[in-house]
Amino acid sequence: MPHDECFVQSAPPLLFPLNCPGTESTTMNYTRKAVPMGRSGQGTEASRNRNSVLFSFALRCRALWLGMVVAALMTVAGYSAHGQTATLIVHSNAWLGGLGVDIFNNAGVCCCGWGSSYTICPSSGQSVYTGCEWQCVEMPQRLYTVRGWHCGAWAVSSAYQLFNNPDVGTSYNNGSGYVPVSGDLLVWKSTLPNSGHAGHVAVVDYVDSYNVYICEQNSVATGRDIMSRSGVNGSSLSRSGWPDRYFYGVVHNTNNPFGNLAPPIPLWTWASQPINTNADGRLDLWGVGTDGSVYHNVQSTPNGGWNGWVTTGLSGVQSGVTVARNADGRLEAFARGSNNSIWHTYQSTPNGSWSAWADLVSPGMQGTPVVAVDIDGRLELCARGTNNIVYDNFQTTAGGSWYGWISLSGAITSDLAAAREQDGRAELYANGTGGAVYYNHQASPSGSWSGWVSLGAPAGGSQRVPVAAQNADGRLEVYTVDTNHVVWHNYETTANGAWNGWASLGGSISSRITAGHNLDGRIELYGVGTDGNVYHNYQSAPNGGWNGWVSLGAGAAIKAGDAVAVGNNADGRLDISIGSTTNAVWNNYEYPSANSTSWNGWGTLGGSISYLFK
């Protein structure tokens, strides 16, 4: 629940004389300094344990006049809370399909203790007051001004007054049948505990069949949470730990043109592969050349053709390449160098040029590293040491510097796979002794790790590197191939819950399995058959049963030992690539549209590439 009162201060007329003439907008520039946090979440952030976040609250301001006086004094004095700027917790590119605004950690500061927020309306050039930094109402007021849906602060004194307010939009009571869309407001009542009788407001990021994903200020430390859907059209929303009786419902502004936007960092990118999506939607595919150097190939336009293979400068590579996406949209690539340490390179700006490769000075490693994305946007980099212990390194802030390597223990016999639970906890998978698959998950979102637990062994044992994917309803599912080339899967019975046990998906697969997602949420698996052809198997419905293995062909052209790299075009169509016996990379994609069962057919991307996976 909110850490502080979510009130909106009416701008004192002598200090804030500018009014909004219309609905024009632009972003305002803020000066920020990130506040590093340790592994357990020390620093100005609230505890990473979600329950303790919900129930640890700052002192509240009880009167609007006090906020006005404080704001006036802070404006005159140029005050910044704690002598520093606030911590950015969700980047603007990381929500609303990349069209959000920056979200900051309030850190329990009362009223206008951080100062006042302004945004420029470009058509008038005037600075418009958008609330007290970083109260809950300030963020949607800034967002709506930036997007041009409304200009400046609404004429309300508290968050709860945004509901049943025609100046804000059309209000829909919880369970009315209206399904929210991206950009809608979710409003809580003044009776919400620990809100100082101000209520609370959050913004819808995106919606799936089971949940509404929200972003907010002055509440949970990550700036993100999930509300479950039920009732008529799935319009009854419920938030864990927040009794339903305190929730009003949804407000939709008619100037909001968004429908339901896809998440800007899709669920399937949490399982690391040698392919990822630029901030502008162009796929970026990586591989290791026959000369031992790292190359990549980028689409020239979203959904379009490919530019051709370009060297990135790192030679003597001992692994495949894993590509992750930072919260601000910048891609970052990782590989094991000739010294068996993990190296990385990153885009200087989203869609931009790449840095020189740099050594992250790891313990001696084997295999290919993997990356998971924490719910706060920080990358978690994990790899298997030469001693079969798993090591973890993580960004201290989203897109920022690296903390250093820590041991996650274990006695692992394969490369790792990464996924994320519905509640935001990152999770790792690997083979262990006795052919069993083991997993290790964060005890709380972005928090410390719980330790390795066995999922048991499928009949014949796990021979290939396991892979995990998330069902549309949030349940994780893990896949592996046994010594008889049969594919097995195990899945959670409920999201974040217990595991069902291993069951066979059949097939005769000689490679590791890779997984992608159709635009409608159905998981799709890929592998190279014992006959050399590429095969796929997909769910017949989201969360449902499996269609069975079907050949996509390519036969003798496929390079033995490689695996299928899976990405999604900007329009949602699945796109797959694999190495060939001629060292050119072969490519195929869904055609004519996303969710199709038909494919375009194999074509070459050229190059002289030894492998995509290793």
Side-chain angles (χ1 to χ4, degrees), residues 102-128:
D102 290 344
I103 298 175
F104 295 90
N105 176 35
N106 180 275
V109 174
C110 174
C111 312
C112 276
W114 284 109
S116 298
S117 167
Y118 291 86
T119 303
I120 302 298
C121 287
S123 62
S124 65
Q126 290 186 324
S127 179
V128 181

Side-chain angles (χ1 to χ4, degrees), residues 162-241:
L162 297 171
F163 199 76
N164 287 329
N165 186 332
D167 291 336
V168 181
T170 304
S171 296
Y172 298 91
N173 290 317
N174 193 31
S176 67
Y178 174 75
V179 178
V181 298
S182 300
D184 281 354
L185 304 183
L186 305 177
V187 183
W188 281 262
K189 301 175 182 179
S190 62
T191 52
L192 178 69
N194 303 299
S195 72
H197 305 293
H200 183 62
V201 62
V203 179
V204 175
D205 182 6
Y206 65 99
V207 181
D208 64 23
S209 299
Y210 300 89
N211 299 294
V212 173
Y213 298 81
I214 66 174
C215 287
E216 61 190 351
Q217 275 182 175
N218 199 16
S219 184
V220 294
T222 61
R224 297 180 182 271
D225 210 348
I226 299 170
M227 298 186 72
S228 62
R229 296 178 59 189
S230 62
V232 179
N233 296 332
S235 64
S236 292
L237 310 184
S238 183
R239 186 171 182 178
S240 178

